[in-house]
């Protein structure tokens, strides 16, 4: 991007970009609300270009108060809006290359003494130019709909700009699965995509396609049942029999026909159907792994495409996804194969950039990313859970993949603008310019959206930022309500208050969803109905994905709740007793906030910090029953500490990876590293533990040699889930804390931890409603049950129960400890505790 930009709104100047020749010429667009130029189109302007010019004229009028007419001209004077061919005298020359598909969405913004050029290479890129210009002038469309649109007011408008813009991702798109209920709401979503430049001039999207062949050629498949994949002895699988020459030729012919009939298509899909059912016949198995088979088929289509379109940018699309996500073992990619890396459904050991590198090593020349920005079935629109809710993580991923060579990005999303809106907006900006500063974008959003209420709204968006992995709890919901209440009291701006009101409605949805999912009694159906009715009613706000929610719950998402026949998804509002679009009254909003603050209390847990300088707790003589049920099904990055005695030459780790879920057994071995000193990054030993397929089966013995005594740190990285432990009597602990967000568990566990003398409360957070907390005498002091959990806990330590080992007993997932050392062991005798804690305990014992 070769640029030099100065935009002046009144006396406020912005400067960005790179020098392109001399400083750009400044031009006045309005003075005291009077338009000084018309918007100009060529006499041969296409209808879409004329409509775009009208949009610019309208917004310039709204910003300045002036009247901007759209006139015909040669572009030498006025604000020229059109194609590069319409106005050949812009001076852009080779900077705009409309003949190149990869430059199809480039555009020029150039001021001169007599006006301004707003020129693109395609009708769509003219729109990109207009929306970019308006963005530079202060216009924002943060979320869909007029509520989230910001139109500044400035009667004196001048601009100095000279910029040819080429997006960092020339093929970046976003789509919102199932949209919203009303036509108007869907228009608002489409307008957001348009104004944030998340649509392309050419079709680069591709997805599952194998299943389309039987639909398009039913007679052929009726005549040739051998084209179906062989599964369990029957020809019925949608993955097709790729070893069959007739099927392969049909696939090639179909692909060429599709490209001929759809000239806007750049990438023709060769992506297998979703799900399993790969062909089990001997010839197909001889082709190799699913990745080898899928890539081999894509290569054959690519060779035909290269012959039919020599020197023309046409590609064959294939995803790295599910069974065919690992790199091929035998086949090398044809140069015309375009690979899309799905950011989920990884099979095999490799993920992220490591997976990209492995496919590039197999010949991939061009690739893109298929990302899951927001999927309701995964996140349920809870704060922090959509993939794009992690703001810094999303921006970093966009930059890192681009730096490696990615040119395309598809963001799959649902209409979840409460939990994911800021992330989707930031992603749209960063996909055009990866160098943008996330903190500056967030500050711009908060300043323009909330004005005087910026401070509490800064707190609100920090609470739901996925970068910090918010803990879903009464505490979080209570804090959300309190910040929103504080924000609405600081502003009288009706548009700002409407935005806050929408976020209040989303927060109440979180309450209703948590109440319904926690209810295991006969009232569950009533709670479910309240949640469904409410989600439909708030659909116009775009805060939650109301339509996918209704649709999936109308299916089989919850077997314990049902939508009655008269209220099913397809039945329109006029005949549906569960659907009502009645607007929420101010009294209802006030009641929601008042009750929300009253029923969602804020925890008063004061976190206590402890060092990782661990020592054996054996001098304390702690006793207890050793459990065999600790850490049985954990995955991700696990951190263990063990104590090596003098003369000990190795640490033996007992590991099993892979669960009863077959897909997990393909995720590769657990990678194990041992560090000494424990607080360093110095790896002194490492090993692998292959998947066994049974978390309670035979353990793999991984021997880690060491020449050192004292504390060692062991990290186990596994995507397969399983056990990691040591021989009985070994002093070792696993660290579970708020910072261990990469650790996840899939089964129950029991484990001990130490409660130092003088501790008043044992506080923390439990992400599951399973099991008990036992004190040092083995008494149950807390049951992790619904509806209180998931949530925070803060248990008073009974007299005489401090200075002892407490126990999580048959609990689920990964509780975090906040007031005591977060190190867990199988038995009190095997505990390691912070050195400062042991020192204090021994001193207290001497003074007793």
């Amino acid at each position: 991007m070769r640029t030099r930009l100065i935009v002046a709104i009144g006396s406020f100047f912005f400067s960005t970009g790179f020098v392109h020749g001399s400083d750009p010429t400044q031009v006045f667009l309005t003075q005291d609300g009077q338009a000084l130029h018309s918007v100009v189109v060529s006499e041969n302007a296409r209808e879409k270009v004329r409509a775009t010019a009208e949009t610019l004229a309208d917004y310039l009028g709204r910003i300045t108060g002036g009247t901007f007419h759209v006139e015909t001209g040669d572009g030498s004077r006025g604000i020229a809006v059109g194609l590069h061919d319409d106005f050949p005298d812009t001076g852009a020359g080779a900077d705009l290359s409309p003949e190149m598909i990869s430059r199809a969405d480039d555009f020029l913004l150039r001021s001169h003494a007599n006006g301004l050029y707003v020129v693109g290479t395609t009708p769509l890129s003219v729109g990109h130019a207009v929306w970019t210009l308006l963005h530079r002038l202060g216009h924002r469309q943060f979320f869909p709909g007029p509520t989230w649109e910001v139109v500044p007011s400035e009667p004196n408008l001048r601009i100095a700009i000279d910029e040819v813009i080429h997006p960092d991702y020339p093929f970046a798109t976003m789509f919102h699965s199932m949209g919203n209920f009303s036509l108007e709401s869907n228009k608002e979503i489409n307008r957001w995509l348009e104004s944030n430049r998340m649509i392309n001039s050419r079709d680069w999207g591709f997805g599952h396609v194998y299943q389309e062949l039987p639909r398009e050629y039913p007679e052929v498949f009726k005549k040739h049942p051998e084209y179906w994949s062989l599964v369990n002895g029957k020809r019925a699988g949608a993955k097709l029999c790729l070893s069959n020459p007739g099927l392969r030729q049909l696939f090639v012919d179909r692909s060429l026909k599709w490209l001929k009939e759809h000239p806007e298509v750049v990438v023709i899909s060769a992506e297998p159907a979703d799900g399993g059912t790969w062909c089990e016949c001997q010839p197909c198995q001889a082709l190799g792994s699913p990745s080898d088979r899928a890539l081999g088929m894509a290569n054959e289509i690519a060779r035909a495409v290269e012959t039919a379109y020599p020197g023309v940018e046409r590609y064959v699309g294939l995803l790295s996804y599910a069974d065919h996500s690992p790199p091929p073992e035998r086949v090398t990619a044809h140069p015309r194969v375009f690979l899309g890396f799905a950011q989920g459904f990884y099979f095999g050991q490799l993920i992220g950039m490591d997976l990209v590198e492995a496919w590039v090593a197999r010949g991939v020349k061009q690739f893109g990313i298929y990302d899951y920005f927001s999927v309701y079935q995964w996140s349920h629109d809870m704060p922090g859970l959509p993939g794009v809710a992690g703001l810094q993580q999303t921006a970093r991923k966009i930059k890192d993949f681009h730096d490696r060579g990615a040119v395309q990005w598809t963001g799959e999303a649902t209409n979840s603008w409460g939990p994911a809106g800021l992330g989707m907006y930031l992603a749209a900006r960063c996909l055009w310019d990866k160098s943008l500063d996330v903190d500056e974008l967030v500050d711009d959003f908060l300043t323009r959206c909330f004005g005087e209420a910026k401070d509490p709204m800064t707190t609100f968006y920090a609470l739901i930022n996925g970068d910090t992995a918010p803990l879903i709890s009464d505490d979080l919901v209570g804090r959300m309500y309190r910040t929103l209440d504080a924000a609405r009291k600081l502003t009288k701006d009706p548009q700002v208050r409407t935005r806050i009101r929408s976020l209040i409605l989303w927060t109440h949805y979180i309450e209703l969803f948590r109440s319904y999912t926690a209810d295991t009694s006969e009232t569950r159906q009533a709670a479910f109905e309240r949640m469904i009715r409410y989600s439909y009613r708030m659909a116009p706000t775009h805060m939650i994905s109301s339509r996918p929610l209704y649709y999936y719950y109308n299916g089989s998402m919850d077997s314990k709740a049902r939508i009655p026949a008269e209220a099913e998804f397809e039945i329109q509002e006029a005949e549906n007793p569960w659907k009502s679009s009645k607007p929420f009254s101010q009294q209802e909003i006030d009641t929601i906030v008042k009750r929300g603050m009253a029923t969602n209390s804020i925890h008063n847990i004061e976190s206590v910090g402890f060092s990782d300088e661990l020592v054996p707790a054996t001098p304390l003589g702690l006793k207890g029953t050793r459990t065999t049920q600790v850490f049985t099904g954990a995955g991700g990055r696990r951190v263990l500490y063990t104590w090596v005695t003098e003369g000990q030459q190795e640490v033996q780790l007992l590991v099993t990876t892979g669960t009863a879920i077959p897909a997990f057994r393909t995720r590769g071995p657990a990678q194990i590293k041992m560090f000494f000193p424990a607080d360093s990054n110095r790896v002194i030993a490492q090993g692998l533990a292959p998947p066994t397929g049974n978390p309670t089966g035979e353990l793999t013995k991984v021997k880690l040699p060491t020449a050192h005594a004292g504390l060692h740190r062991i990290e186990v990285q596994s995507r397969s889930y399983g056990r990691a432990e040591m021989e009985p009597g070994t002093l070792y602990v696993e660290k579970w804390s708020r910072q261990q967000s990469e650790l996840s568990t899939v089964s129950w566990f029991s484990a001990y931890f130490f409660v130092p003398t003088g501790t008043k409360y044992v506080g923390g957070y439990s992400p599951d409603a399973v099991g008990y907390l036992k004190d040092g005498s083995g008494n149950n002091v807390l049951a992790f049950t619904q509806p209180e959990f998931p949530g925070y806990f803060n248990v008073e330590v009974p007299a005489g129960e401090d200075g002892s080992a407490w126990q999580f007993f048959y609990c689920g997932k990964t509780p975090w400890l906040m007031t005591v050392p977060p190190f867990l062991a199988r038995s009190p005798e095997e505990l390691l505790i912070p050195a400062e804690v042991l020192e204090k305990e021994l001193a207290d014992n001497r003074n007793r």
Side-chain angles (χ1 to χ4, degrees):
M1 186 162 58
R2 300 166 299 281
T3 68
R4 174 64 176 169
L5 167 68
I6 300 174
V7 178
I9 304 176
S11 58
F12 189 37
F13 286 84
F14 300 89
S15 178
T16 184
F18 305 98
V19 173
H20 182 232
S22 58
D23 288 344
T25 302
Q26 180 173 271
V27 60
F28 287 81
L29 302 181
T30 59
Q31 187 171 2
D32 297 330
Q34 298 296 313
L36 301 179
H37 296 276
S38 296
V39 175
V40 177
V41 297
S42 76
E43 60 181 9
N44 298 318
R46 303 183 193 182
E47 183 177 346
K48 183 174 179 61
V49 171
R50 289 182 181 274
T52 301
E54 294 284 356
T55 297
L56 177 59
D58 175 59
Y59 272 99
L60 289 176
R62 292 167 63 183
I63 292 171
T64 66
T67 300
F68 286 79
H69 299 286
V70 178
E71 300 176 351
T72 300
D74 61 8
S76 61
R77 306 185 67 86
I79 304 170
V81 177
L83 298 173
H84 183 46
D85 293 340
D86 293 338
F87 304 116
D89 297 328
T90 62
D95 286 345
L96 292 179
S97 303
E99 69 282 357
M100 295 178 60
I101 291 178
S102 58
R103 304 294 298 272
D105 290 332
D106 292 7
F107 56 86
L108 167 73
L109 296 176
R110 176 169 292 166
S111 56
H112 55 91
N114 297 314
L116 176 67
Y117 288 119
V118 184
V119 174
T121 53
T122 62
L124 183 64
S125 70
V126 174
H128 291 340
V130 164
W131 289 113
T132 300
L133 174 63
L134 290 171
H135 186 89
R136 301 292 172 85
L137 298 178
H139 172 267
R140 300 288 187 273
Q141 185 71 64
F142 288 114
F143 301 168
T147 295
W148 295 94
E149 184 177 37
V150 174
V151 181
S153 176
E154 178 51 60
N156 297 299
L157 205 60
R158 49 182 172 162
I159 185 168
I161 187 169
D162 186 356
E163 186 169 358
V164 174
I165 293 181
H166 174 71
D168 284 335
Y169 282 87
F171 317 116
T173 58
M174 194 184 304
F175 71 94
H176 292 80
S177 178
M178 296 188 69
N180 210 336
F181 282 103
S182 73
L183 179 63
E184 185 59 34
S185 290
N186 288 324
K187 286 181 179 179
E188 291 171 353
I189 296 171
N190 292 333
R191 184 57 172 257
W192 183 90
L193 293 169
E194 178 186 352
S195 60
N196 284 283
R197 306 170 301 182
M198 282 290 98
I199 47 180
N200 296 146
S201 296
R202 304 297 293 266
D203 183 3
W204 280 79
F206 61 93
H208 304 295
V209 76
Y210 282 22
Q211 73 282 356
E212 299 303 320
L213 270 71
R215 296 174 187 170
E216 295 173 15
Y217 303 96
E219 294 302 318
V220 174
F221 276 79
K222 184 177 181 180
K223 183 178 180 181
H224 295 280
E226 70 273 15
Y227 286 3
W228 295 97
S229 60
L230 181 68
V231 181
N232 295 325
K234 297 181 179 180
R235 289 283 180 180
K239 284 294 198 293
L240 308 181
C241 184
L242 296 181
S243 63
N244 189 296
L247 182 279
R248 296 177 78 90
Q249 188 59 53
L250 177 66
F251 204 164
V252 170
D253 294 343
R254 184 263 182 197
S255 301
L256 294 177
K257 180 174 179 287
W258 185 272
L259 283 174
K260 184 177 180 180
E261 294 175 351
H262 300 82
E264 75 282 0
V265 170
V266 178
V267 181
I268 182 68
S269 181
E271 173 61 18
D274 209 352
T277 68
W278 287 90
C279 188
E280 297 168 357
C281 76
Q282 286 298 321
C284 276
Q285 292 186 48
L287 294 175
S289 69
S291 296
D292 286 296
R293 301 186 210 181
L295 181 58
M297 186 68 250
N299 280 348
E300 189 163 334
I301 298 172
R303 287 190 289 270
V305 169
E306 184 175 47
T307 300
Y309 296 91
V312 179
E313 292 177 279
R314 293 293 184 276
Y315 300 97
V316 177
L318 180 68
L319 293 176
S320 167
Y321 173 82
D323 286 306
H324 57 287
S325 60
E329 299 168 0
R330 307 176 186 176
V331 181
T332 300
H334 187 280
R336 291 280 187 126
V337 170
F338 189 98
L339 201 75
F341 289 93
Q343 298 302 290
F345 299 104
Y346 299 112
F347 287 22
Q349 181 178 352
L350 300 177
I351 62 173
M353 199 64 72
D354 292 337
L355 185 59
V356 171
E357 296 292 354
W359 274 91
V360 169
R362 299 301 300 171
V364 169
K365 303 298 183 185
Q366 52 276 316
F367 67 90
I369 305 298
Y370 188 99
D371 204 2
Y372 300 95
F373 281 167
S374 175
V375 179
Y376 179 80
Q377 304 94 295
W378 299 349
S379 73
H380 300 288
D381 287 343
M382 294 293 104
L385 294 189
V388 78
L391 307 182
Q392 293 287 353
Q393 294 173 29
T394 297
R396 184 165 56 250
K397 185 164 62 173
I398 288 171
K399 182 180 185 302
D400 288 348
F401 279 121
H402 180 273
D403 289 347
R404 185 57 188 86
V407 297
Q408 183 259 1
W409 197 292
T410 298
E412 178 182 338
T414 44
N415 199 37
S416 309
W417 295 87
L422 184 53
M424 286 192 278
Y425 172 76
L426 264 60
R429 307 313 302 179
C430 292
L431 286 166
W432 272 76
D433 185 352
K434 64 175 183 177
S435 68
L436 291 175
D437 184 276
V438 171
D439 291 337
E440 291 180 2
L441 288 170
V442 172
D443 186 73
D444 179 72
F445 165 76
L446 294 168
T447 300
R448 294 178 187 272
C449 260
F450 300 107
E452 296 172 317
K454 176 183 176 181
D455 286 349
M457 293 310 300
T458 300
T459 300
F460 177 85
Y461 275 95
L463 286 171
I464 68 171
N465 187 344
D467 289 332
T468 61
L471 303 179
I472 311 302
S473 60
D474 290 351
D475 175 82
L476 176 62
V477 175
R479 293 178 191 274
M480 291 169 67
Y481 271 128
R482 285 161 176 79
T483 54
L484 292 169
D485 186 50
R488 66 179 187 154
K489 291 176 180 178
L490 291 176
T491 181
K492 294 182 180 180
D493 186 312
Q495 194 169 19
V496 173
R497 290 181 65 86
T498 301
R499 292 169 190 148
I500 296 171
R501 172 190 176 114
S502 295
L503 293 167
I504 288 170
L505 293 175
W506 169 50
T507 304
H508 187 49
Y509 158 77
I510 299 169
E511 275 192 291
L512 293 177
F513 179 84
R514 295 183 70 230
S515 176
Y516 141 64
T517 54
D519 194 336
T520 59
S521 70
E522 66 279 359
T523 61
R524 181 182 179 89
Q525 175 65 28
F528 171 76
E529 180 176 344
R530 283 193 297 273
M531 189 267 292
I532 296 292
R533 285 175 175 268
Y534 179 83
S535 67
Y536 179 87
R537 189 179 171 194
M538 66 174 292
T541 68
H542 297 284
M543 289 293 98
I544 66 171
S545 45
S546 302
R547 193 165 186 265
L549 181 156
Y550 206 123
Y551 174 82
Y552 286 113
Y553 276 112
N554 197 74
S556 57
M557 187 175 282
D558 183 357
S559 60
K560 298 178 181 179
R562 67 179 186 86
I563 296 176
E566 66 272 14
E568 287 187 346
F569 175 80
E570 296 84 359
I571 300 176
Q572 298 301 307
E573 182 173 331
E575 290 81 31
N576 192 320
W578 281 29
K579 292 182 178 180
S580 169
S581 298
K582 178 183 177 182
F584 290 90
S585 68
Q586 186 60 49
Q587 182 178 0
E588 286 180 286
I589 298 295
D590 292 341
T591 300
I592 287 172
V593 174
K594 183 177 180 180
R595 289 179 178 173
M597 291 192 294
T599 57
N600 292 277
S601 59
I602 304 298
H603 77 71
N604 58 354
I605 304 172
E606 294 186 11
S607 296
V608 180
F610 298 92
S611 76
D612 291 346
E613 185 183 344
L614 306 182
V615 294
T618 48
L620 301 180
L622 302 173
K623 300 294 181 182
T625 302
R626 181 179 179 275
T627 176
T628 59
Q629 195 68 24
V630 65
F631 317 140
T632 59
R637 176 177 171 268
R638 306 173 65 177
V639 179
L640 293 80
Y641 291 89
T642 188
W643 188 266
V644 176
T645 59
E646 291 289 346
Q648 183 179 340
Q649 297 181 346
E650 69 179 20
V651 171
Q652 186 168 269
L653 194 65
L654 307 176
V655 183
T656 178
T657 59
T659 71
I661 301 175
F664 283 11
R665 298 199 294 268
T666 69
R667 293 184 173 184
Q671 302 179 19
I672 301 156
K673 295 180 180 180
M674 186 163 70
F675 301 81
F676 185 87
D679 60 353
S680 74
N681 290 322
R682 178 177 170 232
V683 178
I684 63 168
Q686 52 190 320
L688 298 173
T692 63
N694 188 343
T696 61
E698 183 180 352
L699 294 168
T700 299
K701 296 180 179 180
V702 180
K703 296 181 179 181
L704 304 170
T706 179
H708 310 280
L711 188 66
H712 290 56
R713 185 177 91 252
I714 299 174
E715 294 188 2
V716 181
Q717 186 75 42
S718 172
R719 299 183 58 244
S720 302
Y721 292 87
R723 298 166 65 181
E725 56 184 83
M726 298 185 187
E727 294 288 356
T730 305
L731 301 181
Y732 88 98
V733 295
E734 183 159 0
K735 182 178 182 179
W736 285 6
S737 68
R738 179 71 176 84
Q739 287 70 40
Q740 297 293 111
S741 59
E742 297 177 24
L743 173 66
S744 58
T745 59
V746 294
S747 63
W748 296 347
F749 76 96
S750 295
Y752 290 90
F753 59 92
F754 185 68
V755 176
T757 299
T759 302
K760 302 298 183 184
Y761 293 90
V762 173
Y765 176 86
S766 175
D768 204 354
V770 177
Y772 300 90
L773 181 65
K774 293 177 176 286
D775 65 18
S777 298
N779 301 309
N780 290 341
V781 294
L782 177 66
F784 295 106
T785 57
Q786 296 175 325
E788 290 82 6
F789 296 97
Y792 287 89
F793 60 90
N794 201 23
V795 178
E796 186 174 3
V797 176
E801 296 299 335
D802 56 343
S804 64
W806 288 36
Q807 186 184 27
F808 285 120
F809 186 71
Y810 283 94
C811 293
K813 297 187 179 177
T814 316
W816 288 305
L817 294 166
M818 300 168 62
T819 64
V820 297
F823 305 99
L824 291 91
R826 294 173 300 187
S827 70
E829 293 87 347
E830 296 174 350
L831 268 169
L832 300 173
I833 62 176
E836 71 273 15
V837 172
L838 178 64
E839 182 180 356
K840 185 176 184 303
E841 290 294 323
L842 295 176
D844 289 344
N845 289 343
R846 287 193 297 268
N847 294 331
R848 286 195 180 102

